[in-house]
Amino acid sequence: AQSVTQLGSHVSVSEGALVLLRCNYSSSVPPYLFWYVQYPNQGLQLLLKYTTGATLVKGINGFEAEFKKSETSFHLTKPSAHMSDAAEYFCAVSDSGGSNYKLTFGKGTLLTVNP
Amino acid sequence: DTAVSQTPKYLVTQMGNDKSIKCEQNLGHDTMYWYKQDSKKFLKIMFSYNNKELIINETVPNRFSPKSPDKAHLNLHINSLELGDSAVYFCASSPAPRHHNSPLHFGNGTRLTVT
């Protein structure tokens, strides 16, 4: 069974500082990995995804993530935080085979950005 | 606008009542889902339908009954509501299940409060 662990339920950074949100996955087959963002009282929006190919994935709003198979990680980064980045971030994994498709989510990391 | 839309946005009701949440997507997707997000923001899949056929049922109490009249609609009916059912329920859609690398598109959620 696949699973996702997000280290740190709450990350606080200053505006302009580096954002690093950690995600480790467990999957018995090659995984597909996703990062979603949830703003207050809204649904989840896709930030970026890794399927195959290039291990450094660029997403929207200046975010990127690197797939490291040896470390089973898919950490999300942004060089310079903006106030508008404050939100809940979810890492998710799906398997690359099987007849059913579902995303398994981590427990989320709340990002706060201080002025 | 192309989107996943769910109604109502807020639902407040008493224990023991029966209520329904409706979801519609105009993205042309074959697969629709219901996810439950608890008070700690943890997202867990409940059901998945592919072209009106149930393909995932994640051990949800049988008080919850999804219904898919066509592939663009997936409604959730809940009987005999309990306090523990209070949560935010998200509808989502994606292309056919074999497309494991396709992201989910989420609605904005229905916040259910059972008193």
Side-chain angles (χ1 to χ4, degrees):
Chain A
Q2 58 207 28
S3 65
V4 171
T5 301
Q6 291 184 239
L7 299 174
S9 59
H10 185 197
V11 171
S12 182
V13 300
S14 298
E15 194 172 18
L18 171 71
V19 175
L20 171 61
L21 305 182
R22 299 177 187 275
C23 173
N24 288 87
Y25 70 89
S26 171
S27 178
S28 58
V29 297
Y32 294 142
L33 295 159
F34 305 80
W35 275 100
Y36 283 83
V37 60
Q38 183 180 27
Y39 298 103
N41 297 316
Q42 293 188 26
L44 281 74
Q45 301 174 30
L46 180 70
L47 273 178
L48 49 80
K49 68 176 184 180
Y50 168 79
T51 54
T52 58
T55 56
L56 182 63
V57 179
K58 294 188 184 300
I60 62 171
N61 301 339
F63 284 93
E64 61 183 36
E66 186 171 11
F67 171 64
K68 292 187 176 181
K69 184 178 179 181
S70 61
E71 299 177 9
T72 61
S73 69
F74 190 57
H75 301 331
L76 181 71
T77 61
K78 182 173 180 177
S80 176
H82 294 165
M83 297 295 290
S84 60
D85 294 327
E88 190 89 27
Y89 291 80
F90 293 92
C91 183
V93 62
S94 77
D95 61 49
S96 56
S99 59
N100 293 334
Y101 167 46
K102 67 176 183 179
L103 281 187
T104 299
F105 286 87
K107 294 188 174 182
T109 298
L110 177 65
L111 175 66
T112 57
V113 182
N114 305 308
Chain B
D1 288 344
T2 55
V4 178
S5 58
Q6 37 181 130
T7 55
K9 187 172 176 63
Y10 299 98
L11 187 52
V12 181
T13 188
Q14 292 184 326
M15 286 176 55
N17 285 349
D18 303 338
K19 291 292 180 185
S20 293
I21 306 171
K22 295 186 175 182
C23 179
E24 175 182 5
Q25 56 95 5
N26 60 3
L27 297 165
H29 290 163
D30 287 338
T31 310
M32 296 185 72
Y33 310 79
W34 279 109
Y35 275 81
K36 179 181 180 180
Q37 186 175 46
D38 63 22
S39 59
K40 295 186 178 181
K41 301 282 188 177
F42 182 55
L43 273 159
K44 185 170 170 54
I45 190 169
M46 301 173 68
F47 302 103
S48 172
Y49 270 73
N50 181 58
N51 204 10
K52 302 193 297 178
E53 179 185 353
L54 178 67
I55 56 173
I56 295 176
N57 181 341
E58 288 286 305
T59 324
V60 178
N62 58 15
R63 297 183 296 105
F64 291 78
S65 53
K67 286 188 171 49
S68 182
D70 55 63
K71 74 174 191 177
H73 295 84
L74 179 62
N75 303 322
L76 183 65
H77 188 76
I78 315 170
N79 290 326
S80 303
L81 278 155
E82 301 177 356
L83 292 176
D85 298 331
S86 295
V88 181
Y89 292 84
F90 285 100
C91 179
S93 71
S94 72
R98 66 181 179 276
H99 298 149
H100 289 247
N101 59 353
S102 296
L104 267 60
H105 295 254
F106 283 85
N108 284 335
T110 296
R111 182 175 295 277
L112 172 64
T113 303
V114 182
T115 61

